[in-house]
């Protein structure tokens, strides 16, 4: 009799515990896979596995700009940090939404690797996936989240009513948000902000640039904080089919595209476990097959044909497909551009990264330390302004001037295009209002070096530029 009672009690207890575990799992951990059919849409919005660790709960993330507008650089919510929001989408380009217990957001490749441009100020921006963003203000975004979390008003009482405007939460969900999700999010946002404290003593990245590997060195690889500055311009990812055998990254620190794609996801906040390898394989296929975008203004074809000869003579060895040195590392002493980005990456970092994913079913072993910068192919060049690894030269016209005659101060982050200079408009009232002041005298921002073609006669420069528009 007693035995039966104990058994019944145990059974009930077991059921209760089971139910609690199930409810906990369902509301906090259950992963709902989303599959986006179109490769381009997947590239822009598909999960790469960054939601688990670094993602912010979607509904909190949605209301932060309304609750804390004073921490944004402008009045248009996330758009003021350079995000591009397509009509009808739940998130901006480069932000995924995934349910892990509850909806969360995460960053995707496209937040940095999708370009926008406008032919005229009154136009809507045209989005070009896999192009380098000139607008996304990554450091501004990190600092915005940190400032929100530091604000004493970051509490359930302040946040929940604002969420209710967008989305009605059940009584149980409200409890979860109040006692678990909001406090944990705050703690994690504060920690994330602190992990970027080293940026406070170094030059601002500004829009369209990040220090890509120092966060990885100092956080993921647990290398002690040093004083290097690695600010680099975002790169285009299209047309990898023609980049077979090229090294990758501005200094060629990788030689495998698959590894570069996977390290990209870890750099964005995916963990060794949460990284979405299948989703990333689709990204790799997409950027491999994608053609570069065509120059969207008229080209003088006769001039371009003449310019091709100038290119063949002065540039092709390093930049043409099939060129002897294309896609290889050119020693820094030879190309002469700013060396900080190069010095940021060390042999120790390469070794540690190569050991980082031992034992997982993907692995890294092709990270390395080099002594120069990659002679990149110039496909889709027109949309890759400002030029060079640190984004220090606003236009092709400027790059073909001797370094001392190049523009010392300009504004970047304004996406209206200048087809004559071949680059974005980087001077004038609007560029100043929207853009970030890029001063080439700031450490790491130097526009010196790469003197190729700078002594050509003006007419050859003009035809060469016409040819470069066709790439
Ligand atoms: C926060 C911005 C950011 C995000 C997000 C990002 N990247 Fe990058 N990516 C960069 C920058 C900046 C570089 C150039 C870095 C350098 O070498 O200095 C780069 C370089 C690359 C390159 C090298 C291109 C070449 O031709 O050498 C590849 C490939 C790449 N990224 C793929 C990805 C993929 C795939 C993702 C998503 C999984 C991703 N990136 C996410 C900023 C980003
Ligand atoms: C000896 C090899 C070499 C030659 C010759 C050469 N370049 Fe380069 N080029 C490089 C290297 C290396 C870089 C990357 C430098 C950096 O970013 O610091 C580069 C970068 C560039 C970029 C910037 C690409 C981007 O995405 O920002 C452009 C544009 C360019 N070169 C055009 C030319 C033109 C035009 C010529 C011929 C007049 C030329 N180059 C000749 C090696 C060369």
């Amino acid at each position: 009799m007693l035995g039966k009672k104990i058994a019944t009690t145990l059974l009930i207890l077991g059921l209760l515990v089971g139910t609690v575990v199930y409810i906990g799992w369902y509301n906090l951990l259950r992963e709902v896979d989303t599959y986006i059919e179109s490769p381009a849409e997947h590239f822009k919005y598909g999960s790469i596995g960054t939601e688990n660790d670094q993602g912010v709960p979607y509904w909190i993330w949605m209301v932060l700009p309304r609750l804390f507008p004073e921490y944004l650089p402008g009045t248009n919510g996330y758009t003021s940090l350079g995000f591009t929001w397509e009509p009808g989408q739940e998130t901006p380009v480069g932000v995924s939404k995934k349910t892990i217990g509850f909806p969360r957001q995460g960053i995707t490749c496209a937040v940095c690797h999708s370009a926008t441009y406008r032919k005229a100020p009154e136009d809507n921006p045209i989005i070009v996936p896999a192009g380098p963003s000139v607008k996304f203000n990554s450091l501004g975004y990190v600092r915005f989240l940190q400032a929100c979390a530091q604000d004493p008003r970051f509490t359930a009482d302040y946040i929940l009513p604002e969420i209710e405007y967008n989305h009605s939460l059940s009584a149980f969900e409200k409890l979860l948000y109040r006692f678990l999700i909001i406090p944990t999010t705050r703690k994690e946002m504060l920690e994330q902000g602190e992990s970027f404290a080293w940026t406070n003593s170094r030059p601002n990245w500004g829009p369209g640039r990040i220090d890509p590997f120092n966060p990885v060195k100092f956080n993921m690889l647990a290398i002690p904080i040093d004083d290097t500055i690695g600010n680099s311009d975002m790169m285009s990812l299209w047309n990898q089919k023609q980049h077979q055998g090229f090294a990758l990254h501005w200094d060629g620190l990788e030689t495998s595209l698959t590894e570069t794609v996977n390290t990209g996801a870890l750099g964005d906040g995916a963990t060794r476990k949460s990284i979405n390898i299948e989703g990333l394989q689709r990204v790799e296929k997409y950027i491999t097959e994608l053609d570069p975008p065509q120059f969207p203004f008229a080209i003088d074809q006769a001039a371009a044909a003449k310019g091709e000869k100038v290119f063949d003579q002065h540039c092709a060895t390093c930049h043409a497909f099939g060129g002897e040195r294309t896609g290889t590392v050119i020693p820094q002493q030879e190309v002469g551009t700013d060396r900080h980005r190069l010095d940021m990456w060390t042999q120790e970092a390469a070794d540690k990264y190569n050991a980082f994913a031992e034992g997982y079913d993907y692995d890294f072993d092709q990270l390395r330390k080099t002594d120069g910068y990659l002679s990149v192919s110039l496909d889709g060049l027109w949309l890759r302004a400002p030029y060079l690894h640190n984004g220090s030269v606003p236009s092709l016209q400027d790059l073909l001037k001797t370094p001392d005659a190049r523009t010392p101060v300009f504004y970047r982050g304004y996406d209206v295009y200048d087809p004559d200079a071949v680059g974005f408009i980087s001077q004038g009232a609007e560029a100043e209002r929207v853009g970030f002041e890029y001063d080439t005298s700031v450490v790491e921002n130097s526009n010196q070096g790469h003197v190729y073609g700078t002594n050509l006669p003006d007419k050859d420069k003009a035809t060469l530029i016409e040819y470069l528009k066709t790439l």
Side-chain angles (χ1 to χ4, degrees):
M1 199 54 193
L2 193 67
K4 205 172 171 196
K5 244 190 185 162
I6 291 179
T8 316
T9 317
L10 280 180
L11 182 71
I12 293 174
L13 262 180
L15 280 175
L16 270 177
V17 171
T19 311
V20 169
V21 168
Y22 177 77
I23 293 178
W25 169 82
Y26 187 88
N27 286 288
L28 298 171
L29 299 171
R30 164 191 53 118
E31 295 209 17
V32 181
D33 279 325
T34 44
Y35 183 85
I36 303 177
E37 188 70 38
S38 141
E41 295 300 295
H42 169 73
F43 179 77
K44 287 191 278 186
Y45 300 108
S47 170
I48 55 168
T50 57
E51 302 86 356
N52 308 55
D53 199 48
Q54 304 265 311
V56 181
Y58 177 73
W59 293 117
I60 299 179
W61 185 80
M62 275 296 282
V63 300
L64 290 179
R66 295 209 299 268
L67 293 174
F68 302 104
E70 60 272 37
Y71 302 133
L72 285 169
T75 50
N76 292 325
Y78 285 117
T79 335
S80 68
L81 289 168
F83 287 93
T84 304
W85 211 309
E86 294 184 287
Q89 293 290 344
E90 287 182 305
T91 58
V93 175
V95 177
S96 58
K97 182 181 173 203
K98 180 175 174 184
T99 294
I100 305 171
F102 49 90
R104 309 183 196 205
Q105 60 80 243
I107 292 296
T108 81
C109 316
V111 76
C112 298
H113 294 293
S114 70
T116 61
Y117 74 91
R118 287 176 289 164
K119 285 181 163 184
E122 61 277 13
D123 292 353
N124 282 326
I126 295 173
I127 300 168
V128 186
S133 170
V134 279
K135 290 191 310 195
F136 178 53
N137 180 352
S138 188
L139 194 55
Y141 177 57
V142 168
R143 290 180 177 166
F144 169 68
L145 294 183
Q146 183 182 31
C148 293
Q150 281 169 339
D151 191 304
R153 291 170 300 168
F154 196 103
T155 59
D157 284 343
Y158 192 51
I159 294 173
L160 282 177
E162 194 66 31
I163 293 182
E164 291 284 312
Y165 278 116
N166 288 87
H167 177 73
S168 114
L169 297 167
S170 71
F172 178 66
E173 286 173 325
K174 275 186 210 157
L175 284 176
L176 273 185
Y177 271 83
R178 176 173 295 274
F179 293 109
L180 198 65
I181 299 175
I182 291 176
T184 314
T185 302
R186 182 175 195 191
K187 187 170 156 277
E188 285 171 358
M189 279 165 60
L190 285 171
E191 280 167 12
Q192 201 197 6
E194 266 158 39
S195 73
F196 280 88
W198 55 272
T199 59
N200 295 333
S201 58
R202 295 170 221 220
N204 196 331
W205 307 346
R209 294 199 316 170
I210 58 168
D211 187 329
F213 289 100
N214 267 335
V216 171
K217 275 165 50 188
F218 305 152
N219 298 320
M220 242 174 66
L221 303 178
I223 292 174
I225 292 181
D226 55 33
D227 57 2
T228 59
I229 302 166
N231 299 349
S232 8
D233 209 28
M234 305 195 182
M235 297 177 93
S236 59
L237 303 184
W238 46 62
N239 208 23
Q240 296 294 329
K241 57 183 176 294
Q242 284 193 279
H243 296 202
Q244 310 286 333
F246 292 6
L248 295 116
H249 281 294
W250 284 113
D251 58 347
L253 62 76
E254 251 292 353
T255 54
S256 146
L257 176 61
T258 305
E259 288 193 12
T260 308
V261 166
N262 292 346
T263 53
L266 292 175
D268 294 349
T271 65
R272 278 172 286 200
K273 258 178 79 180
S274 75
I275 188 170
N276 180 347
I277 296 291
E278 265 168 58
L280 290 165
Q281 283 166 347
R282 291 185 69 202
V283 166
E284 182 173 342
K285 184 168 184 302
Y286 175 68
I287 61 175
T288 299
E289 291 168 1
L290 185 69
D291 289 327
Q294 304 266 317
F295 190 68
F297 301 88
I299 295 177
D300 177 344
Q301 294 297 345
K306 285 191 191 142
E308 186 171 2
K309 301 209 173 71
V310 183
F311 182 82
D312 285 346
Q313 202 182 339
H314 297 275
C315 323
T317 35
C318 288
H319 289 303
F321 289 116
E324 214 179 302
R325 304 179 78 188
T326 308
T328 69
V329 173
I330 308 297
Q332 188 275 337
Q333 286 94 322
E334 183 178 344
V335 63
T337 50
D338 190 282
R339 64 171 301 128
H340 288 83
R341 162 65 187 79
L342 178 63
D343 293 338
M344 174 270 292
W345 189 244
T346 59
Q347 185 63 47
E348 181 194 9
D351 293 342
K352 286 209 160 151
Y353 217 149
N354 282 332
F356 186 70
E358 272 340 314
Y360 287 80
D361 43 6
Y362 59 94
D363 193 15
F364 304 124
D365 53 29
Q366 300 199 37
L367 286 123
R368 58 178 186 165
K369 168 72 189 153
T370 71
D371 66 350
Y373 291 113
L374 206 63
S375 46
V376 286
S377 63
L378 302 183
D379 35 7
L381 183 65
W382 67 274
L383 195 52
R384 287 159 44 177
Y387 296 101
L388 298 182
H389 74 270
N390 53 2
S392 57
V393 181
S395 67
L396 289 183
Q397 237 171 34
D398 217 43
L399 186 65
L400 289 178
K401 291 180 184 157
T402 53
D404 293 338
R406 289 175 188 161
T407 311
V409 176
F410 63 96
Y411 294 84
R412 45 174 303 160
Y414 183 54
D415 66 356
V416 178
Y417 205 77
D418 176 349
D420 300 319
V422 191
F424 294 96
I425 293 176
S426 61
Q427 303 286 352
E430 264 313 274
E432 270 183 49
R433 192 180 65 78
V434 180
F436 166 83
E437 186 190 80
Y438 187 103
D439 183 342
T440 57
S441 70
V442 167
V443 60
E444 210 276 343
N445 282 359
S446 162
N447 61 359
Q448 300 297 293
H450 197 286
V451 296
Y452 315 105
T454 55
N455 286 328
L456 288 169
D458 284 349
K459 65 174 194 340
D460 286 355
K461 284 186 186 175
T463 58
L464 175 60
I465 287 180
E466 214 54 26
Y467 173 69
L468 295 173
K469 293 176 183 174
T470 69
L471 297 177

